Amino acid sequence: MNTRVLTGITTSGTPHLGNYAGAIRPAVQASTQPGVDAFFFMADYHALIKCDDPVRVARSRLEIAATWLAVGLDHERVTFYRQSDIPEIPELTWMLNCVTAKGLMNRAHAYKAAVDQNEAKGVEPDDGVTMGLFSYPVLMAADIVMFNANKVPVGRDQIQHLEMARDIAQRFNHLYGRDYFTLPEVVIEEEVATLPGLDGRKMSKSYNNTIPLFEGGASALRASVMRIVTDSRQPGEPKDAENSHLYTIYRAFATPQQSAAFRKQLEEGMGWGDAKQALYDHLENLLAPMREKYFDLMANPGRIEDILQAGAAKARKLSTPFMQELRQAVGLRNLQVASAAQGAPAKKEKGKGARFVSFRDEDGGFRFRLLAADGEELLLSQRFADPKEAGALMRRLQSEPADAVLQADGQGYAAVIDGVAVAAAPAGAQAEALERARAALASMAQE
């Protein structure tokens, strides 16, 4: 069984070398491992919390998408999408907001930090605090549980948000009497490279000490490398490689053999100027092919848009039916289903039983659902171009032995006709749902 791993990328800046070493490269490598169902999304709603410059947000979305594709993210293998292209995410966020205690949000690190800063300034505790900042963890929870991610790689500063996502998901599951959401596991990458910036502090946009990944080309890369702070040891004097920022950065992008050779040169007295040139040459050799792909993508934003739209369509094949299930769970049901669940008048007695409901989906295809007497969705069909074909299959399902038609599989169960799965269990269906579905078909066959 595949493990679903979800990674979000906030679109509020231009990727730099530290982002690549610490997050982008290991995530792309992990997505190629067997048994991994990888989801990568650009968290552009999250970007609005920190950035009110629409030009910067739009530019960052383009740069980040181009970066991930240029460094080797296989958009055919993974699910790569923009958060804002999945309308079910903000809808789920509202549902989760309605079950999340304000006290839980009061304890969020980002909110507490903002309050502490305001109190230190002697202003109102909530001065400048938006609802976006305050409820950020709920949106993050929706990102994760919308696709029932098993594992979420995060930095240590995000552990609390994952714990909150688990709390919120558990609360929803408890209130509505079923495990709709998988509880995500936190994955901390202990060996992730943290690169020093130009001044020796952690490479960060906040410190303005970054080395560009692609932007500015080779000249910008070289200019940044040449500005890296070194000590005063002269050419010919042995260098302390272990405490050298140059060596730390070089080692993050080199094989053990290459690192050992560079270290030996430093310890034998290589001048800092020559060492910086060696680091630049090594980085340029690595980044130049990816940079060429990056600028090609940046020049053709339509290609990126097509990839993201395809990724959104792939993601929505999961989010759309799941949201229909969640709507039903909280009572936002079709009125006929709600009436059946509450008990219809005597003349409607027949409507209380299990039944098929046919409908036309957003892409114009014809589909049907099998609903239990209480309105629970037990099957969702594939899409059919011809409504008569869908109708004929509903009649076949109703007339053939339920035990033979409904078959368990690794993801749940499916309805199989003539060797073809024509309908499947809804997302998140529990083991007992298979027996309910069989009982529902059996009851319909007796009518």
Side-chain angles (χ1 to χ4, degrees), residues 83 110 121:
Q83 183 185 38
K121 296 176 186 175

Side-chain angles (χ1 to χ4, degrees), residues 266-311:
L266 288 172
E267 292 174 343
E268 289 178 349
M270 173 189 270
W272 288 125
D274 290 338
K276 289 179 179 182
Q277 183 64 42
L279 173 60
Y280 162 72
D281 290 340
H282 184 73
L283 291 175
E284 177 62 15
N285 185 58
L286 170 72
L287 299 180
M290 295 188 287
R291 186 192 301 126
E292 183 177 352
K293 295 178 183 177
Y294 172 81
F295 282 119
D296 181 55
L297 287 163
M298 289 292 290
N300 295 277
R303 285 173 53 195
I304 299 177
E305 184 66 27
D306 289 344
I307 290 169
L308 290 171
Q309 289 297 333

Side-chain angles (χ1 to χ4, degrees), residues 38-287:
F39 278 57
F40 291 88
F41 72 95
M42 295 199 296
D44 45 1
Y45 280 143
H46 287 290
L48 302 181
I49 299 170
K50 304 175 183 178
C51 182
D52 59 3
D53 181 352
V55 174
R56 182 182 173 191
V57 170
R59 177 72 179 180
S60 180
R61 292 163 97 219
L62 178 62
E63 290 174 344
I64 289 175
T67 296
W68 282 79
L69 294 170
V71 302
L73 184 68
D74 185 350
H75 62 88
E76 297 286 350
R77 179 186 178 97
V78 307
T79 303
F80 183 46
Y81 58 97
R82 279 179 301 229
Q83 183 185 38
S84 60
D85 286 334
I86 314 297
E88 292 79 18
I89 289 176
E91 183 176 359
L92 177 57
T93 300
W94 179 250
M95 287 186 182
L96 298 182
N97 266 316
C98 293
V99 304
T100 301
K102 179 177 179 291
L104 181 65
M105 295 298 97
N106 288 342
R107 296 192 291 274
H109 295 325
Y111 173 64
K112 288 177 67 177
V115 170
D116 290 345
Q117 289 173 7
N118 284 335
E119 290 178 343
K121 296 176 186 175
V123 299
E124 288 291 324
D126 286 333
D127 184 60
V129 176
T130 66
M131 286 306 299
L133 173 64
F134 182 72
S135 60
Y136 169 93
V138 184
L139 176 57
M140 185 171 174
D143 293 327
I144 296 165
V145 302
M146 180 81 260
F147 298 105
N148 279 318
N150 303 110
K151 297 184 177 182
V152 183
V154 294
R156 291 195 172 277
D157 60 335
Q158 293 289 319
I159 291 176
Q160 186 196 45
H161 290 153
L162 262 293
E163 293 172 343
M164 287 180 165
R166 289 175 60 90
D167 290 343
I168 294 167
Q170 280 183 311
R171 176 65 175 163
F172 188 99
N173 289 345
H174 175 73
L175 281 174
Y176 294 104
R178 186 174 140 199
D179 289 339
Y180 290 95
F181 300 126
T182 298
L183 303 185
E185 293 181 31
V186 178
V187 177
I188 302 298
E189 298 287 350
E190 298 290 356
E191 301 302 319
V192 164
T194 299
L195 297 189
L198 305 181
D199 57 2
R201 293 180 293 177
K202 175 184 176 182
M203 192 178 296
S204 170
K205 293 186 288 289
S206 301
Y207 299 143
N208 193 30
N209 68 349
T210 61
I211 297 174
L213 182 60
F214 297 137
E215 285 296 313
S219 59
L221 174 64
R222 188 178 190 281
S224 295
V225 170
M226 294 302 167
R227 289 169 50 211
I228 296 174
V229 172
T230 56
D231 62 31
S232 59
R233 300 181 203 195
Q234 298 299 308
E237 291 185 65
K239 309 299 187 294
D240 181 3
E242 198 61 37
N243 292 307
S244 162
H245 308 321
L246 285 175
Y247 177 67
T248 301
I249 295 172
Y250 190 100
R251 185 173 54 188
F253 299 97
T255 65
Q257 294 78 11
Q258 291 171 327
S259 298
F262 186 58
R263 178 176 187 144
K264 183 179 179 182
Q265 288 178 301
L266 288 172
E267 292 174 343
E268 289 178 349
M270 173 189 270
W272 288 125
D274 290 338
K276 289 179 179 182
Q277 183 64 42
L279 173 60
Y280 162 72
D281 290 340
H282 184 73
L283 291 175
E284 177 62 15
N285 185 58
L286 170 72
L287 299 180

